Amino acid sequence: MDAATTIGSAHPHGTLRSHWLEAKYEFLRLLRTPMFAIPTLLFPVLFYLLFGVVLPGSRGGAAMAQYLMTTYGVFGAIGVSLFGFGASVAIERENGYLVLKRVLPMPRGAYLLAKMAMAMLFSASISVFLALLGTVAAGVSLAPSQWALLLVVNVAGALPFCALGLYLGSLVSGSGAPAVINLVYMPMAFLSGLWMPLHVLPPVFAQIAPVWPAWHLGQLALKVVGRDAGSAVGLHVLVLAAITVVFFVLARRRLSR
């Protein structure tokens, strides 16, 4: 039994406090890192302001504003999860920080749980910013239950992409991680209909969209506002749950070597 397990079993309140402090300082660390906080928090909002508020008149008006508010929330949740895990884990693994974490007397899993909590909190922030912008600037109107459910989808939907980001971070170097993540993130978002509805693209894009995990999360969010493609909720949840488990297991194997 290691020191962290001994401490956790002897002092359960200390274990909870350790988890809380790890999550708190992980969030503050990333919030104070401009290269992470500015793109992840502002890019979805700025993209929506441009494509969902300023330019939607010629592309669908209120319907487009509602669609893009929903999908840019998913876009933001995916981005913060991939970069929060992928880039930071790659850098910390390369610098020996993960080895240090293993020998510290801290609860098992606190490191990963802190990063998950960070991703979910950033996802919630992006969702709220987009909701405010959509309501005030684009006239988007949803029932209270829809707003709440959309927030839940964006926050919980961060988890599969945390697992994917963790796996990517276990594969690449710290310097190469942002480029690799962008190569996965941007094409997947576009091909999943997060930047524009797939029906405006050639039919082949809609046919292959179910391949991408981002499409499944996007469809869950769009179902909340009644603009999804009609697939069953259970299918999307099952695919996202499978992605979470598979990539977490793969990443754990890589990081335990």
Side-chain angles (χ1 to χ4, degrees):
M1 182 179 293
D2 61 18
T5 306
T6 304
I7 291 174
S9 59
H11 304 285
H13 294 296
T15 300
L16 291 175
R17 177 173 171 77
S18 296
H19 280 89
W20 159 249
L21 289 175
E22 184 73 13
K24 173 185 175 181
Y25 290 117
E26 177 68 15
F27 177 77
L28 291 175
R29 180 179 71 85
L30 291 176
L31 191 63
R32 294 168 180 171
T33 306
M35 291 183 64
F36 176 83
I38 292 176
T40 54
L41 286 175
L42 292 186
F43 279 7
V45 176
L46 292 177
F47 286 168
Y48 178 63
L49 180 62
L50 177 60
F51 297 111
V53 177
V54 176
L55 300 178
S58 61
R59 298 191 302 140
M64 182 60 72
Q66 185 186 73
Y67 178 97
L68 291 178
M69 183 201 71
T70 305
T71 57
Y72 274 126
V74 173
F75 177 71
I78 294 173
V80 74
S81 303
L82 290 179
F83 283 98
F85 265 83
S88 65
V89 168
I91 293 171
E92 291 162 5
R93 176 177 58 84
E94 193 173 60
N95 292 340
Y97 186 66
L98 293 186
V99 176
L100 173 63
K101 283 290 187 179
R102 290 193 184 108
V103 300
L104 290 176
M106 61 184 294
R108 290 184 180 272
Y111 172 79
L112 293 181
L113 287 174
K115 289 188 178 295
M116 288 169 55
M118 173 279 307
M120 296 171 81
L121 186 55
F122 269 85
S123 298
S125 301
I126 293 168
S127 187
V128 170
F129 290 156
L130 288 169
L132 291 173
L133 186 59
T135 301
V136 174
V140 175
S141 178
L142 299 176
S145 59
Q146 288 177 297
W147 288 118
L149 192 53
L150 201 55
L151 179 64
V152 170
V153 169
N154 287 337
V155 172
L159 296 179
F161 299 95
C162 288
L164 176 57
L166 181 64
Y167 179 64
L168 293 175
S170 72
L171 291 176
V172 298
S173 66
S175 58
V180 171
I181 292 170
N182 269 316
L183 285 174
V184 173
Y185 177 38
M186 294 301 182
M188 180 174 63
F190 177 77
L191 295 172
S192 299
L194 301 186
W195 289 2
M196 64 182 68
L198 290 174
H199 67 75
V200 305
L201 300 174
V204 65
F205 290 101
Q207 294 170 3
I208 65 173
V211 172
W212 315 113
W215 181 81
H216 292 278
L217 183 57
Q219 288 298 299
L220 285 177
L222 287 168
K223 189 172 284 291
V224 174
V225 299
R227 298 190 179 279
D228 64 302
S231 300
V233 170
L235 171 65
H236 302 308
V237 173
L238 182 61
V239 169
L240 292 171
I243 288 169
T244 304
V245 173
V246 167
F247 281 108
F248 176 76
V249 170
L250 291 174
R252 185 177 181 182
R253 289 179 179 175
R254 289 279 306 175
L255 295 173
S256 62
R257 292 177 182 176

